[in-house]
Amino acid sequence: MSNTLHHKLATMLDVVYPEADTGVLADQLLETMGLAWDTSAPPAHQNNWDESDVMLITYADTVQRKGEKPLQTLNRFLGDCLNDTVSAVHILPFFPYSSDDGFSVMDYLAVNESHGDWTDIERIADDYKLMADLVINHMSARSRWFENFRKRIDPGKDYFFEARPTDDLSAVVRPRTSPLLNAVQTEDGERYVWCTFSEDQVDLNFANPQVLNEFVGIIRYYLERGMTIFRLDAVAFLWKEVGTPSIHLQQTHELIKILRLLIEHHTPESVVITETNVPNRENLTYFGNANEAHVIYNFSLPPLLINTLVTGNCRHLKTWLMSMPPAQMGTTYLNFIASHDGVGLRPTDGLLTEEEKLRLINTMESFGGKVSYRRTPDGKDQPYEMNVALFDALKGTAERGSDHWQLHRFICAHTVMLALEGIPAFYIHSLLGTENDHERVKNTGRLRSINRGQWNLDTLEAELADPLSHHHNVFTELKRLIAIRRKQPAFHPNATQFTLHLGLQLFGFWRQSMRRDQSIFCIHNITDEVQQVSLGDINLIGTDQWQDLISGLKIDDLSGSLTLKPYQSVWLSNRE
């Protein structure tokens, strides 16, 4: 009995809800998830991914066609242009919402009618691993639950976290400058609800076990509609306690373990991803002991890689990579350089100096980017993220400004990302080489809109077919690199990785397949000048035949050297 799912679940619940009858609560959660008390556990340390996995990140309505629901248009675009390129699709929140481009959810169990319906979602899930956002920290102030909170009726009466203006909230960590508490009128009088992100996004109260049970039911609903990857949005803030920072609390980690336990017992091939845009050491804690997130975002990669390519110096990127622990089997990293959000600056804490951050910010602003701020516990505003389209973020260098190497620099960034330990994820606007959308920022008044533009499918297809278009050149070359990557066992997300020491102008690392039959030396010129690589410095095995997977160049003289053009990359492999 001590090894049953019920016992494990009840033991975890004891940590979170010490005053509750956790045996009864475990019964309730298992019933909600449709699991028996003794459901068998999935294999331990199982990798639900391999080298062929590549993810696309997109909004449901990024690609549109007149007279067609956006989810249908997205499915058409996937089938016509990406069916041999990506294995997984992250459709950002496709639910009815009131603000924040979907992250202020009004109804977790409905599809936004303007996007399509559940049938459209299920069709995409039939062909791709589908990632859904579990916007678990907060809900729309216009949701039915919050209306019931105001009316003081269930479900919703005790679903949202409250505090008082007189409480000591000085230690709370915030990602925004808006007020933390918002006064609302209810049938019981005025109450103050906790709003980590905005007045329209009210934090849920997981101290009430029924909120947990509601989300377990939501998860089961998604699983039954084909979704197998769950992105726990803003999960670091999930558990709140007055007088604490209210971030990364132990109860939050336990709740992630509980959700993972239920999810993987229901669908063993499912994956839990935590979205925790925080300093690197804090982010790594969400692996737990391989019992929390299966996958964590590599949040330090985007700012460090951009900084490397605009400064022509890889010192910080190399130092960070050497410090990263290899993920245990059954866990891995999600590598990305751009997303629907901006480029976070908190993940550079302890990695870049304040002066280096300021130089990076100034460079991004000179390339048309914007900066968002957060409020620290002492009341000061600090830069939180840089809002810029990745294609424009790499249009030049910090020293010289814009130049003619933009496309090469952009491709180099993705060549690095594709080769690193972990699963690569492409934001759709990066895959298409979309530029800053200043008009959208002007129309919405939101800085993040700079990288959340929309494409008419006919216009997009014309651009992708035009060999003179940079969109064509970006899309074609990235698809070619992805096709190469997906065939290499040494690029398995859990394959061995070691950092190479080739100076500050060449960024390199070695990958070795788990069967140790393939090695790939990944070397990148991160400068706008020609660089030489001595092959003797990378210890190529003399009995193997080596070639560059990207260019097809065969290496015959292992005592010689390679000449790398500005922003050129090589993947030197001992097997084709």
Side-chain angles (χ1 to χ4, degrees):
M1 291 289 291
S2 63
N3 292 322
T4 65
L5 173 60
H6 183 276
H7 177 79
K8 291 177 183 177
L9 182 58
T11 301
M12 292 178 179
L13 290 167
D14 280 335
V15 178
V16 186
Y17 305 108
E19 304 300 321
D21 186 335
T22 51
V24 172
L25 180 55
D27 288 335
Q28 183 184 24
L29 295 176
L30 291 176
E31 181 179 357
T32 300
M33 194 57 132
L35 297 172
W37 65 273
D38 59 349
T39 302
S40 298
H45 302 289
Q46 173 177 286
N47 292 327
N48 291 327
W49 46 77
D50 61 26
E51 60 272 17
S52 68
D53 280 303
V54 177
M55 181 178 288
L56 177 74
I57 305 168
T58 182
Y59 279 102
D61 60 351
T62 296
V63 183
Q64 302 181 11
R65 173 176 275 170
K66 188 175 181 180
E68 189 172 64
K69 293 289 187 179
L71 281 168
Q72 296 167 5
T73 308
L74 173 62
N75 197 24
R76 181 190 304 277
F77 175 68
L78 289 168
D80 291 347
C81 300
L82 293 173
N83 69 324
D84 58 349
T85 301
V86 301
S87 62
V89 180
H90 173 199
I91 305 178
L92 291 152
F94 48 79
F95 318 105
Y97 69 95
S98 55
S99 64
D100 198 19
D101 287 342
F103 284 92
S104 187
V105 179
M106 297 173 64
D107 185 351
Y108 293 102
L109 301 181
V111 175
N112 188 330
E113 290 184 3
S114 65
H115 295 340
D117 56 30
W118 280 114
T119 301
D120 299 318
I121 292 291
E122 290 167 359
R123 285 187 182 128
I124 295 174
D126 285 341
D127 296 322
Y128 305 91
K129 300 175 183 179
L130 185 56
M131 179 154 91
D133 280 282
L134 199 63
V135 186
I136 196 169
N137 178 71
H138 50 264
M139 195 176 186
S140 170
R142 291 172 53 192
S143 64
R144 181 173 67 90
W145 284 358
F146 196 68
E147 285 301 312
N148 287 350
F149 172 86
R150 290 176 181 272
K151 296 174 182 176
R152 312 308 295 146
I153 60 175
D154 288 320
K157 177 183 176 183
D158 299 311
Y159 280 15
F160 297 90
F161 195 84
E162 300 178 54
R164 297 183 299 271
T166 54
D167 289 333
D168 180 8
L169 305 175
S170 60
V172 174
V173 173
R174 298 283 315 288
R176 298 289 185 272
T177 57
S178 55
L180 176 61
L181 299 184
N182 180 41
V184 296
Q185 293 298 324
T186 75
E187 293 295 328
D188 289 345
E190 188 175 63
R191 290 173 176 265
Y192 290 86
V193 291
W194 190 290
C195 301
T196 297
F197 292 92
S198 77
E199 183 176 332
D200 187 48
Q201 294 166 301
V202 188
D203 284 42
L204 290 151
N205 178 24
F206 274 84
N208 178 356
Q210 290 311 307
V211 175
L212 173 61
N213 189 56
E214 292 275 13
F215 272 90
V216 170
I218 292 165
I219 289 168
R220 180 182 178 184
Y221 190 84
Y222 294 172
L223 285 165
E224 291 173 349
R225 273 145 192 81
M227 284 161 274
T228 55
I229 310 176
F230 294 86
R231 177 184 181 271
L232 306 188
D233 178 64
V235 71
F237 303 96
L238 195 64
W239 193 273
K240 271 73 70 170
E241 283 186 7
V242 171
T244 75
S246 293
I247 186 173
H248 310 317
L249 297 187
Q250 182 58 38
Q251 292 91 335
T252 292
H253 287 279
E254 292 297 325
L255 284 167
I256 295 170
K257 294 176 189 175
I258 289 166
L259 293 177
R260 170 172 169 163
L261 185 75
L262 293 168
I263 289 170
E264 65 184 8
H265 275 76
H266 185 285
T267 306
E269 66 271 20
S270 59
V271 171
V272 172
I273 298 182
T274 49
E275 188 266 332
T276 48
N277 190 358
V278 295
N280 195 51
R281 286 183 178 273
E282 298 171 26
N283 189 33
L284 289 169
T285 64
Y286 284 87
F287 277 140
N289 185 21
N291 59 353
E292 292 187 38
H294 294 91
V295 181
I296 65 172
Y297 281 81
N298 237 340
F299 275 109
S300 296
L301 178 61
L304 288 180
L305 184 51
I306 292 170
N307 183 70
T308 292
L309 288 164
V310 300
T311 63
N313 186 316
C314 68
R315 179 165 67 92
H316 295 307
L317 182 63
K318 187 165 72 169
T319 299
W320 165 76
L321 192 65
M322 288 189 294
S323 72
M324 291 294 284
Q328 294 186 51
M329 291 298 175
T331 68
T332 194
Y333 299 101
L334 189 74
N335 295 322
F336 72 109
I337 330 173
S339 73
H340 61 292
D341 287 340
V343 179
L345 289 167
R346 285 206 73 209
T348 66
D349 288 355
L351 301 173
L352 296 179
T353 67
E354 293 304 312
E355 182 180 349
E356 288 166 333
K357 288 183 191 178
L358 182 59
R359 187 185 190 197
L360 179 59
I361 289 169
N362 290 339
T363 302
M364 293 302 101
E365 289 181 322
S366 74
F367 296 157
K370 309 292 181 182
V371 180
S372 301
Y373 292 82
R374 71 182 182 95
R375 184 147 298 155
T376 61
D378 60 4
K380 296 179 180 178
D381 289 350
Q382 283 192 347
Y384 177 69
E385 69 178 17
M386 301 176 296
N387 303 108
V388 62
L390 184 64
F391 190 70
D392 281 337
L394 297 172
K395 70 191 305 180
T397 65
E399 184 177 353
R400 300 189 180 106
S402 300
D403 58 26
H404 64 283
W405 294 110
Q406 182 177 13
L407 177 61
H408 299 81
R409 195 178 287 112
F410 184 79
I411 296 298
C412 179
H414 288 94
T415 309
V416 172
M417 182 190 79
L418 278 167
L420 286 170
E421 175 188 350
I423 301 167
F426 287 83
Y427 184 43
I428 189 169
H429 286 301
S430 295
L431 199 59
L432 302 174
T434 309
E435 299 155 294
N436 288 331
D437 193 338
H438 294 291
E439 189 64 28
R440 192 171 180 85
V441 172
K442 182 179 177 181
N443 291 339
T444 66
R446 298 189 298 271
L447 298 184
R448 284 179 167 176
S449 296
I450 200 169
N451 198 26
R452 295 181 177 180
Q454 296 173 325
W455 278 96
N456 172 273
L457 182 58
D458 296 330
T459 303
L460 175 59
E461 288 176 339
E463 289 287 348
L464 296 181
D466 180 2
L468 298 180
S469 162
H470 81 266
H471 303 291
H472 166 88
N473 292 324
V474 165
F475 192 65
T476 302
E477 183 60 10
L478 289 181
K479 283 191 64 173
R480 186 178 79 88
L481 290 170
I482 291 168
I484 296 170
R485 178 236 153 74
R486 297 184 76 187
K487 298 175 182 177
Q488 314 307 321
F491 285 155
H492 187 287
N494 293 91
T496 298
Q497 176 174 285
F498 285 109
T499 308
L500 301 177
H501 297 281
L502 303 171
L504 300 181
Q505 285 71 52
L506 294 166
F507 178 60
F509 48 92
W510 169 60
R511 302 295 307 279
Q512 184 182 56
S513 62
M514 291 189 286
R515 293 180 59 180
R516 304 179 72 178
D517 57 347
Q518 183 186 30
S519 286
I520 302 179
F521 290 87
C522 308
I523 305 171
H524 315 269
N525 179 358
I526 48 86
T527 76
D528 56 6
E529 298 178 352
V530 173
Q531 301 291 332
Q532 297 291 326
V533 184
S534 171
L535 294 175
D537 290 341
I538 54 178
N539 300 318
L540 301 181
I541 298 172
T543 56
D544 290 346
Q545 298 295 315
W546 296 89
Q547 72 170 35
D548 174 21
L549 296 173
I550 297 175
S551 68
L553 175 69
K554 295 186 183 299
I555 308 297
D556 297 319
D557 182 8
L558 299 188
S559 64
S561 63
L562 283 177
T563 300
L564 294 188
K565 299 174 185 177
Y567 305 107
Q568 182 182 351
S569 300
V570 293
W571 289 342
L572 301 180
S573 173
N574 62 344
R575 55 177 277 188
E576 297 183 21

